[in-house]
Amino acid sequence: FRYFTYLWRFTYLSVIGGSAYLAYGVWELRHPEEQFEPDPSKKNLVILGTGWGAVSLLKKLDTENYNVIVISPRNYFLFTPLLPSCTTGTVEHRSIMEPIRSITRHKRAAVKFYEAEATKIDPERKTVRIDDNSDVKGASNNTEVSYDMLVVSVGAENATFGIPGVKEHSCFLKEIGDAQQIRKKIMDCVETATFKDQSPEEVERLLHMVVVGGGPTGVEFAGELQDFFDQDIKKWVPEISDKFKVTLIEALPNVLPMFSKQLIDYTESTFKEEKITIKTKTAVKKVTDKTVEAEATGPDGKKSIEVMPYGLLVWATGNAVRPVVKDLMSQIPAQKDSRRGLAVNEYLVVQGTKDIWATGDCAVAGYAPTAQVASQEGAFLARLFNTMAKSEAIEHKIHDLSTSLNLKPGNSGEVAVEIESHEKKLRRIKDLKPFHYTHQGSLAYIGSERAVADVSWLNGNFATGGGLTYLFWRSAYLSMCFSTRNRVLVVLDWLKSKAFGRDVSRE
Ligand code: FAD
Ligand code: NAI
């Protein structure tokens, strides 16, 4: 009975503590403190992008030390790990978006935001050309911004390898608009397939959902799509039950190459159970509006061409360098051998430049292009810039004290002690170690309420897959969401889709 009382008290206190934490989170989000204007004599720190790298930098940066200007065509941060769930409505898109205005408004010193695309960086003149590419344009929609320090964190675009027809006919999965387009197209295919007098071949084509790329994006999307069909579409449109088909095409011998062999096998067997067809050693060579043409390598090494009619095609074959980054690289001789983005040193300084740093998918620092890496790099830069500002302030102080020593030699003892203490502080501050990435593991959802996880644990690796891993996946991503608001909305979406099913209306 005593244990029961303890347990009850513990639960009671946890609920009260949790609710208070939640209430404080909500209150704080709605009531930012007064901000002060940045000092115009401070350096212009320009940050390009509002993704993982940029926002992680912004979150930890003491903005009172600089004139911070953020430039991005997207006025929100996007929590990409839950983007595949948006394609089927398991999670609503606004639940994983955090307005950049809310992030900048919570900083101590005001931060400027320009919704624009950086189109040209001039490292000689230290300027960035920016274009407002939104639908509403004012008289001023293209100008230049000067920087003293620049952080390039513009991410990457979708790789298509110049394969004919990909850009014209595929859906990608990188931005909110992509997820919305996919969600609409899934239901369009279903409704068109059930149109009066549709031929059996056309029904088969329309209900064939093809995903190209067996990396985590392709795998997670295929899993979500099959869930949507099994748990919802099938119920409301039973006549297509045996015709809906998901095929995942991968050029390499297996999917999820970054996961351990055991988890690759688990994923492949789960897909088999879910009736998702995996075609490995199959490289797509051409895409038309209705077919995908791929070269398959058989077990005997013989190559054959396969033509697959499709209704929806989702292209997820990784990253390519953005034009603004390519252009910057072409201006810097030290970048001539870099292919996948801006080569950076161990302090994330773009090699061959001064005062330009890069983070995330557009930087080549020897790590995979993941949110984990981008956010650790952003946090590192915030520490670096905070340290630089502090050390500059101390250097000024030392300079002022040394000057006063010359002017008032009477106080020399006290001043010398003060100078020494500042110099000590300065040495400590300047002792910032280079960037070091700590890998916390890889997680991926594979459908039917199962996930795979390769987690780093006490200097070892721990591989697991299944229903419990799925709960771990959910709790890990929930805790990583940007704000309390995002967390609450995501939980409500999960509950909503569980209770009422996903919405099958085509918006
Ligand atoms: P992004 O987050 O892409 O941000 C780039 C920013 O730059 C955006 O705000 C963009 O609008 C802006 N921008 C673009 N062009 C310009 C320009 N010319 N000028 C100014 N701004 C510009 N990683 C994980 O670790 N775990 C996961 O579970 C995971 N899931 C993912 C799921 C999906 C569907 C996808 C697509 C990716 C996933 N990733 C995951 C990878 C992760 O999202 C990226 O590695 C991460 O977003 C990289 O951060 P970034 O800041 O470099 O770029
Ligand atoms: P990816 O680069 O990881 O995988 C793309 C896959 O497409 C590769 O396996 C490649 O062999 C294949 N491919 C390329 N061309 C092809 C063709 N013509 N035909 C057939 N297959 C082809 O790309 P993805 O999945 O978009 O991920 C990008 C980055 O984001 C990665 O670093 C990934 O780790 C990260 N990410 C992480 C997630 C997670 O941790 N859960 C989820 C999504 C992305």
Side-chain angles (χ1 to χ4, degrees):
F1 182 73
R2 214 173 60 214
Y3 286 121
F4 179 75
T5 315
Y6 284 147
L7 188 67
W8 188 84
R9 275 191 197 152
F10 176 75
T11 314
Y12 179 72
L13 286 175
S14 307
V15 170
I16 292 195
S19 312
Y21 176 74
L22 195 73
Y24 175 73
V26 173
W27 186 89
E28 197 220 33
L29 212 65
R30 299 274 289 153
H31 299 88
E33 283 174 12
E34 276 300 303
Q35 273 184 317
F36 52 85
E37 284 304 310
D39 175 354
S41 69
K42 300 241 155 107
K43 286 181 176 170
N44 272 2
L45 167 58
V46 174
I47 303 171
L48 303 181
T50 45
W52 280 95
V55 162
S56 156
L57 156 63
L58 203 53
K59 210 170 157 184
K60 296 222 156 63
L61 183 73
D62 293 339
T63 52
E64 57 270 39
N65 295 325
Y66 300 97
N67 292 310
V68 184
I69 302 168
V70 179
I71 298 164
S72 171
R74 205 169 79 184
N75 78 342
Y76 56 87
F77 165 73
L78 174 62
F79 186 74
T80 46
L82 289 178
L83 192 59
S85 305
C86 287
T87 59
T88 58
T90 313
V91 169
E92 291 298 337
H93 63 276
R94 287 205 177 260
S95 307
I96 57 166
M97 293 158 67
E98 184 66 19
I100 194 70
R101 297 288 180 179
S102 156
I103 300 170
T104 53
R105 183 60 189 84
H106 280 85
K107 300 305 295 179
R108 262 168 61 78
V111 169
K112 277 209 170 68
F113 172 71
Y114 300 133
E115 192 190 67
E117 197 178 317
T119 49
K120 173 121 194 130
I121 298 166
D122 185 338
E124 288 294 315
R125 292 171 51 239
K126 291 189 138 189
T127 57
V128 181
R129 173 145 288 282
I130 62 168
D131 284 1
D132 174 2
N133 289 333
S134 64
D135 292 343
V136 178
K137 287 193 184 60
S140 163
N141 55 45
N142 140 351
T143 184
E144 266 185 3
V145 175
S146 306
Y147 66 82
D148 297 300
M149 295 158 74
L150 175 70
V151 179
V152 187
S153 198
V154 296
E157 59 179 30
N158 296 294
T160 61
F161 308 104
I163 296 171
V166 175
K167 274 203 178 119
E168 297 83 342
H169 306 298
S170 316
C171 294
F172 297 102
L173 185 50
K174 210 173 226 332
E175 299 290 342
I176 281 294
D178 300 334
Q180 286 171 308
Q181 194 194 357
I182 293 174
R183 188 171 173 184
K184 194 169 160 183
K185 212 157 171 194
I186 297 168
M187 286 322 295
D188 208 355
C189 284
V190 170
E191 297 302 354
T192 310
T194 54
F195 192 79
K196 188 169 180 296
D197 300 334
Q198 206 66 271
S199 71
E201 299 77 47
E202 194 61 350
V203 171
E204 198 178 316
R205 177 185 75 80
L206 286 162
L207 296 176
H208 187 202
M209 312 279 141
V210 173
V211 184
V212 183
T217 305
V219 166
E220 290 195 326
F221 170 66
E224 293 275 359
L225 182 56
Q226 190 66 41
D227 281 0
F228 186 26
F229 175 70
D230 288 338
Q231 295 163 10
D232 299 292
I233 300 178
K234 207 155 88 173
K235 275 189 202 145
W236 310 123
V237 199
E239 64 268 38
I240 62 160
S241 302
D242 54 345
K243 295 180 191 96
F244 191 90
K245 197 171 128 196
V246 179
T247 301
L248 179 67
I249 303 178
E250 166 57 52
L252 296 175
N254 55 264
V255 297
L256 293 183
M258 67 290 290
F259 281 81
S260 54
K261 170 90 177 68
Q262 173 197 347
L263 294 180
I264 292 172
D265 292 345
Y266 180 72
T267 305
E268 292 186 350
S269 69
T270 304
F271 269 24
K272 212 176 206 170
E273 268 175 48
E274 289 169 5
K275 304 215 164 47
I276 296 173
T277 309
I278 301 183
K279 284 181 184 287
T280 50
K281 293 193 186 167
T282 306
V284 173
K285 299 283 178 197
K286 189 180 162 191
V287 170
T288 69
D289 59 341
K290 291 186 179 141
T291 61
V292 163
E293 217 175 284
E295 187 183 75
T297 310
D300 53 358
K302 274 203 181 129
K303 294 194 188 309
S304 59
I305 295 290
E306 209 175 322
V307 179
M308 288 167 262
Y310 71 86
L312 170 77
L313 172 65
V314 173
W315 192 266
T317 62
N319 293 342
V321 182
R322 285 200 191 277
V324 66
V325 174
K326 259 190 214 156
D327 177 74
L328 176 60
M329 287 163 70
S330 71
Q331 298 175 59
I332 308 164
Q335 296 284 334
K336 83 171 190 322
D337 295 328
S338 186
R339 293 280 163 272
R340 307 177 80 186
L342 291 161
V344 293
N345 71 11
E346 70 274 33
Y347 287 89
L348 307 182
V349 177
V350 174
Q351 281 175 8
T353 70
K354 216 172 146 268
D355 301 324
I356 306 182
W357 289 260
T359 68
D361 288 2
C362 67
V364 179
Y367 308 108
T370 65
Q372 259 188 85
V373 170
S375 70
Q376 288 185 31
E377 288 177 342
F380 169 81
L381 280 193
R383 281 199 304 278
L384 181 75
F385 295 163
N386 294 343
T387 305
M388 280 162 64
K390 260 191 222 157
S391 57
E392 259 174 50
I394 295 177
E395 270 159 7
H396 278 134
K397 190 111 194 178
I398 294 174
H399 176 263
D400 291 349
L401 285 168
S402 314
T403 320
S404 81
L405 202 63
N406 289 339
L407 296 176
K408 296 181 209 155
N411 292 343
S412 63
E414 271 170 44
V415 175
V417 170
E418 208 177 325
I419 290 179
E420 201 181 308
S421 118
H422 283 306
E423 278 173 348
K424 245 192 216 158
K425 226 189 259 171
L426 193 61
R427 275 197 296 276
R428 262 205 315 273
I429 287 174
K430 281 192 167 168
D431 195 24
L432 190 82
K433 302 269 181 302
F435 174 69
H436 171 75
Y437 169 63
T438 314
H439 185 61
Q440 275 145 8
S442 305
L443 276 169
Y445 180 61
I446 58 169
S448 62
E449 306 200 339
R450 290 181 220 180
V452 287
D454 255 332
V455 187
S456 306
W457 185 263
L458 300 173
N459 291 338
N461 219 38
F462 177 64
T464 166
L468 275 179
T469 315
Y470 166 67
L471 294 180
F472 173 65
W473 174 85
R474 277 202 159 180
S475 50
Y477 282 178
L478 198 60
S479 71
M480 281 159 60
C481 278
F482 187 85
S483 64
T484 307
R485 177 184 149 275
N486 289 148
R487 270 177 220 117
V488 172
L489 292 178
V490 167
V491 168
L492 291 177
D493 288 345
W494 282 339
L495 291 173
K496 202 174 69 182
S497 56
K498 191 84 194 159
F500 303 110
R502 300 167 186 86
D503 190 341
V504 293
S505 1
R506 182 173 74 85
E507 281 172 77

